[in-house]
Amino acid sequence: TARTRQVTGEFGHVYEQQYAVALFNSVRFEIEGGGGPQSQLLHRKNPLEDRSIFSGGLFQYLEENKRWRNRFVFVAHERSLRPKGTINCAGYKALTSMEEYLELINTSLPGIKAKVGSGQFVKCATQFPLILWHPYARHHYFCVLTEKEQKKWHAVLQDCVRHSNNGLSEECRVQTPAFTDAMRLHRQAQGHYGTWDMMCGGPPQILANLVMETLHPELRNLIGPRLKGKIQQRQRNWMLISEAVYKQVLSQTQAQYEALVQACEVQTSRLDTVLRTDMDQIITSKEHVSGKIRALVLPRAGQLLRGSVQPFLSSILEALMEPTSRGFSEVRDVFFRELVEVSKNTLNGGGKDKLAEHMEKISMLAFHPVKMQSCYEKVEQLNLEGLQQRFDVSSPSVFIQRAQILMREQMDNAVYTFEHLLHQSLEGKVQGGEDLCKTIHCCQDRVLKKYDYDSSTVRKKFFKEALLQIIIPYMLKQLSPSFHLVRELIFEDFSQFILVENVFEEVVLQSVTKDIMMAVKEAAVQKKHNLYRDSMILTNSDPNLHLLGENPSVDWATQFRGGNEEPEGALGGGGQSSRRRRQVVSMIQLDEMGPLPYESCLETPTEPDSPDSVGLSARALRICSEMHNYGSWAVTHPLVLHVLLFSSRGHCRQAVDANSLACHPTEMDIVVYNISL
């Protein structure tokens, strides 16, 4: 508690200063305007609203009773769900072998190393483990029956980690810059320059990681030698201690961060008034201070730049460009293959009904962890070996994760733009198979051109930011001057908005920006990795496209497949088909519905007013979560379809031919569509 108060107090002081600076930058940007190249693709807001990402059954190891239990896991962006338990994946690593796990465990307590064969830490129930490892928080152990399932789940867990790590909203124009700048300056004051792997999750989690960065090794040195028992028992006890400490720290940083933000927001109105009144004087004062600092810094910065940075610029850039560009190229290929598949199936019959079915699936392609995995794997080959030590880069994981998030955004933008263009082309028109294919190809070509342009713009921006993240901390550490004399040049009235540390960083940034811009520009001129030149501007063939982006997402099922006939008993909640929860990908296998190992009856939380809790086998849930969107198609499909009615206790009450329409589901029934081929 004392350490948490100390660290958050020191950070809070820096945050209050950076909040005023971030507010100044935000107001100045608003007044002066500005911005980069305009995106050609549409951007979807809240893409995960009412969407399920993944569901399926697996085994989970419970520390409390040392047993493996059947679990049904549901990955969704839905806060109204009431599960038995949740896992916040920020800061975790998803592992697929005990060897990887033991390597990380052995570093937790120095001098204590367990081998894989000697009394395993956790005896896995199958040969295909899945482990979520965190340096401070509780570890989670799962396993599945097949290698194929393991690969799918690993892709899903990695996507959960990637999404959770990206916890700072870019839409917050003041709070997010204030937090990131304060965190960076606070760590620099402690002598930590460069990237930080634990800058992941929301602000309270990042603050907790900041506290644990110094507290954890101290506790380990204090408590580690006193732990008794076998190697595995000592490691287990240390993990329990670490988890308990992290929980306590996190609960305190949560409360203290909320209080800090509230205190800053109280001052916002007053600061905003001062800024808008005295903006010209503040800018003049800042430029005066910048001039003095430039006179002191630029000679040394230029020498450092020529001797220690410029010789390595091209090699750093190439190390970043090669895997990143391959990843973005794979995104394009995956998108193209999906659209080719849509065209083929549309041409083979089905018309708009079949097209709507495929568009429902493709609409969330960017959030399909398994289909996107090939794209992400390309970027994971990014390697900065030989450069990490020189420039104090802890690992390339920060850049890999950022590139993967940008790839997912570009895929979603491409899909979203294609949806709106296609919907606009089909509206009010009756088209057959060949005409539909021509329309699809036309929209596809337009979107791919826009994707190539946006991909080039996004990658160039990413390369510049990555180079700055590598080089600037190195230069700051090498220069590290003192500016006590310069502080006297700042008027006291403007001292809240002009901080010497920030001005110094800006001067160093300006000294290296020209070289970085030239390096990226040369790569574009040489047409490396399909980068466009800065002078190239894509002709806007869709001047009214941005107006389409203001419309809500296209509900293909409702408009083209009669989705309003969704049965009452279908999972998804909400009653309205346009608001049902739709699943992106599932572990369900419809072709070999033999006995599954997940047949235990799992208790599902219900509403407080419900008289009974619904027990449903994981197998039934797996079928149900996949098939509940196909009600109108299923009831009319001949021969192959049966309806299974599960009672509130999870037992199959009735199995009838769907074509006979003899079943009448009640409110306590779960309707499951089971295809028998």
Side-chain angles (χ1 to χ4, degrees):
T1 301
R3 177 59 58 82
T4 304
R5 286 177 179 170
Q6 176 194 345
V7 174
T8 53
E10 293 170 355
F11 171 83
H13 176 67
V14 182
Y15 179 85
E16 289 174 351
Q17 294 177 327
Q18 294 304 314
Y19 186 88
V21 173
L23 187 64
F24 162 68
N25 291 330
S26 176
V27 173
R28 184 178 180 181
F29 181 85
E30 177 189 331
I31 294 172
E32 297 179 354
Q38 187 176 359
S39 172
Q40 293 290 321
L41 296 170
L42 299 177
H43 178 70
R44 189 200 319 250
K45 295 181 180 178
N46 303 321
L48 292 178
E49 186 177 8
D50 297 319
R51 296 281 185 165
S52 307
I53 300 300
F54 196 83
S55 65
L58 40 65
F59 298 106
Q60 182 182 19
Y61 183 76
L62 302 180
E63 286 280 359
E64 293 77 11
N65 53 20
K66 307 290 189 295
R67 291 183 180 179
W68 290 89
R69 298 293 301 274
N70 300 332
R71 285 288 180 262
F72 182 81
V73 177
F74 199 74
V75 180
H77 192 269
E78 177 60 68
R79 299 187 183 278
S80 63
L81 295 174
R82 300 175 57 204
K84 254 186 174 178
T86 59
I87 301 174
N88 186 325
C89 295
Y92 277 89
K93 285 184 180 179
L95 311 174
T96 56
S97 73
M98 292 302 297
E99 289 81 3
E100 287 180 278
Y101 180 62
L102 286 176
E103 281 183 21
L104 293 169
I105 286 295
N106 287 335
T107 61
S108 61
L109 280 175
I112 301 177
K113 292 191 177 181
K115 296 180 181 178
V116 178
S118 60
Q120 287 191 16
F121 190 82
V122 175
K123 292 182 179 179
C124 195
T126 72
Q127 299 177 11
F128 306 103
L130 290 154
I131 302 168
L132 285 174
W133 174 88
H134 193 283
Y136 314 127
R138 165 177 281 200
H139 301 169
H140 299 276
Y141 312 95
F142 305 95
C143 66
V144 291
L145 292 178
T146 66
E147 185 179 2
K148 186 178 179 181
E149 275 188 300
Q150 186 189 43
K151 287 181 179 178
K152 285 186 176 181
W153 273 110
H154 187 232
V156 171
L157 293 176
Q158 283 183 310
D159 211 45
C160 290
V161 172
R162 193 178 299 115
H163 183 77
S164 301
N165 283 353
N166 191 32
L168 297 174
S169 173
E170 294 181 6
E171 295 180 1
C172 297
R173 299 288 296 273
V174 177
Q175 284 188 16
T176 297
F179 183 86
T180 54
D181 290 347
M183 185 61 63
R184 186 183 68 255
L185 290 171
H186 176 80
R187 296 191 76 248
Q188 286 178 4
Q190 311 300 318
H192 301 297
Y193 291 79
T195 57
W196 185 35
D197 289 347
M198 294 308 292
M199 187 81 175
C200 47
Q205 289 172 291
I206 298 172
L207 270 176
N209 296 338
L210 182 67
V211 174
M212 294 296 288
E213 188 177 28
T214 55
L215 180 61
H216 195 256
E218 290 180 16
L219 288 176
R220 182 179 59 197
N221 295 335
L222 180 66
I223 297 174
R226 303 183 185 184
L227 296 173
K228 307 298 180 184
K230 294 182 179 179
I231 293 176
Q232 286 80 10
Q233 189 58 44
R234 279 183 280 171
Q235 288 177 333
R236 192 186 304 276
N237 289 340
W238 170 245
M239 285 163 54
L240 292 172
I241 293 168
S242 178
E243 178 196 349
V245 171
Y246 187 65
K247 278 185 177 179
Q248 182 180 352
V249 170
L250 185 57
S251 66
Q252 293 178 3
T253 55
Q254 176 79 43
Q256 292 174 26
Y257 177 72
E258 289 174 359
L260 179 62
V261 171
Q262 191 174 1
C264 288
E265 286 179 346
V266 170
Q267 302 292 325
T268 301
S269 179
R270 179 185 64 81
L271 293 174
D272 188 75
T273 303
V274 174
L275 282 170
R276 294 183 185 278
T277 304
D278 302 327
M279 178 61 74
D280 291 340
Q281 293 93 319
I282 296 172
I283 293 174
T284 302
S285 179
K286 183 180 178 181
E287 289 175 351
H288 178 66
V289 174
S290 297
K292 295 291 184 181
I293 294 178
R294 275 196 293 269
L296 291 171
V297 171
L298 287 183
R300 292 181 58 197
Q303 186 179 359
L304 182 65
L305 190 62
R306 289 188 297 273
S308 303
V309 174
Q310 285 177 348
F312 300 96
L313 263 181
S314 58
S315 55
I316 299 173
L317 184 58
E318 188 60 34
L320 291 167
M321 288 172 65
E322 178 70 26
T324 305
S325 296
R326 277 194 275 113
F328 275 85
S329 179
E330 182 69 13
V331 168
R332 190 188 196 278
D333 292 343
V334 170
F335 177 66
F336 177 76
R337 287 196 297 268
E338 289 293 321
L339 295 188
V340 168
E341 196 66 28
V342 171
S343 298
K344 281 182 181 178
N345 290 313
T346 304
L347 190 61
N348 291 335
K352 287 188 178 181
D353 286 349
K354 198 69 176 176
L355 174 64
E357 180 185 330
H358 287 291
M359 288 307 300
E360 275 284 285
K361 295 178 181 178
I362 205 175
S363 65
M364 292 301 288
L365 179 61
F367 297 93
H368 193 303
V370 180
K371 289 186 177 179
M372 289 292 292
Q373 185 63 15
S374 62
C375 309
Y376 297 146
E377 286 174 351
K378 302 287 185 186
V379 187
E380 286 170 2
Q381 298 170 15
L382 194 154
N383 190 352
L384 296 175
E385 237 176 274
L387 299 169
Q388 288 181 217
Q389 289 183 343
R390 170 175 288 276
F391 292 101
D392 197 20
V393 179
S394 57
S395 78
S397 61
V398 173
F399 308 110
I400 291 172
Q401 186 169 265
R402 179 59 183 162
Q404 290 172 338
I405 290 169
L406 291 172
M407 287 158 55
R408 186 177 67 188
E409 288 178 357
Q410 287 301 297
M411 173 67 91
D412 191 51
N413 291 348
V415 169
Y416 187 56
T417 306
F418 177 78
E419 280 191 276
H420 277 288
L421 288 175
L422 182 61
H423 181 259
Q424 184 187 45
S425 301
L426 296 178
E427 223 168 7
K429 297 178 183 178
V430 179
Q431 296 183 351
E434 290 187 9
D435 291 336
L436 270 177
C437 281
K438 288 179 182 178
T439 303
I440 291 170
H441 281 299
C442 180
C443 296
Q444 169 189 301
D445 291 342
R446 288 162 70 185
V447 172
L448 287 176
K449 286 179 182 177
K450 296 175 188 297
Y451 173 83
D452 290 339
Y453 181 83
D454 278 14
S455 166
S456 173
T457 304
V458 167
R459 280 181 291 142
K460 285 193 291 185
K461 184 181 178 184
F462 167 72
F463 297 146
K464 292 169 188 174
E465 289 176 350
L467 285 171
L468 289 173
Q469 281 185 283
I470 293 170
I471 294 168
I472 293 298
Y474 169 76
M475 294 189 68
L476 292 175
K477 188 176 182 180
Q478 297 299 316
L479 296 171
S480 60
S482 175
F483 293 105
H484 297 295
L485 296 175
V486 183
R487 291 182 192 276
E488 299 175 2
L489 300 173
I490 302 174
F491 292 114
E492 189 175 349
D493 294 343
F494 304 148
S495 59
Q496 285 180 292
F497 310 111
I498 305 173
L499 299 178
V500 173
E501 293 83 357
N502 296 77
V503 178
F504 166 58
E505 286 195 1
E506 287 178 14
V507 169
V508 175
L509 177 66
Q510 291 166 5
S511 70
V512 75
T513 297
K514 184 179 178 181
D515 292 85
I516 289 176
M517 297 285 282
M518 284 299 298
V520 176
K521 186 177 179 180
E522 284 176 12
V525 169
Q526 296 170 13
K527 297 184 179 180
K528 281 188 175 181
H529 309 296
N530 199 29
L531 289 175
Y532 290 168
R533 298 189 303 274
D534 292 340
S535 58
M536 181 174 177
I537 300 174
L538 188 66
T539 303
N540 192 357
S541 57
D542 302 294
N544 297 322
L545 181 62
H546 68 282
L547 298 177
L548 293 177
E550 298 174 2
N551 299 331
S553 297
V554 181
D555 192 337
W556 295 96
T558 302
Q559 297 191 31
F560 294 98
R561 290 176 54 212
N564 291 325
E565 298 175 18
E566 188 179 9
E568 288 181 24
L571 277 178
Q576 302 175 6
S577 63
S578 62
R579 295 290 295 170
R580 70 188 184 282
R581 189 180 301 118
R582 288 168 285 184
Q583 181 152 297
V584 178
V585 59
S586 174
M587 287 293 293
I588 295 135
Q589 300 172 351
L590 296 173
D591 47 353
E592 294 178 359
M593 296 302 296
L596 297 175
Y598 321 118
E599 290 284 358
S600 63
C601 193
L602 303 180
E603 190 174 38
T604 308
T606 57
E607 296 299 322
D609 299 333
S610 176
D612 196 5
S613 63
V614 179
L616 185 64
S617 72
R619 179 190 181 193
L621 283 171
R622 288 171 66 182
I623 303 169
C624 198
S625 58
E626 175 72 9
M627 298 303 301
H628 78 273
N629 291 329
Y630 301 98
S632 58
W633 167 81
V635 172
T636 59
H637 200 281
L639 299 176
V640 298
L641 191 69
H642 287 78
V643 173
L644 307 180
L645 297 184
F646 282 80
S647 69
S648 60
R649 288 301 177 189
H651 305 295
C652 186
R653 181 171 69 80
Q654 190 180 7
V656 297
D657 185 353
N659 297 305
S660 69
L661 301 178
C663 60
H664 300 282
T666 67
E667 290 183 0
M668 292 304 293
D669 285 325
I670 302 295
V671 180
V672 179
Y673 302 104
N674 184 16
I675 294 181
S676 305
L677 300 179

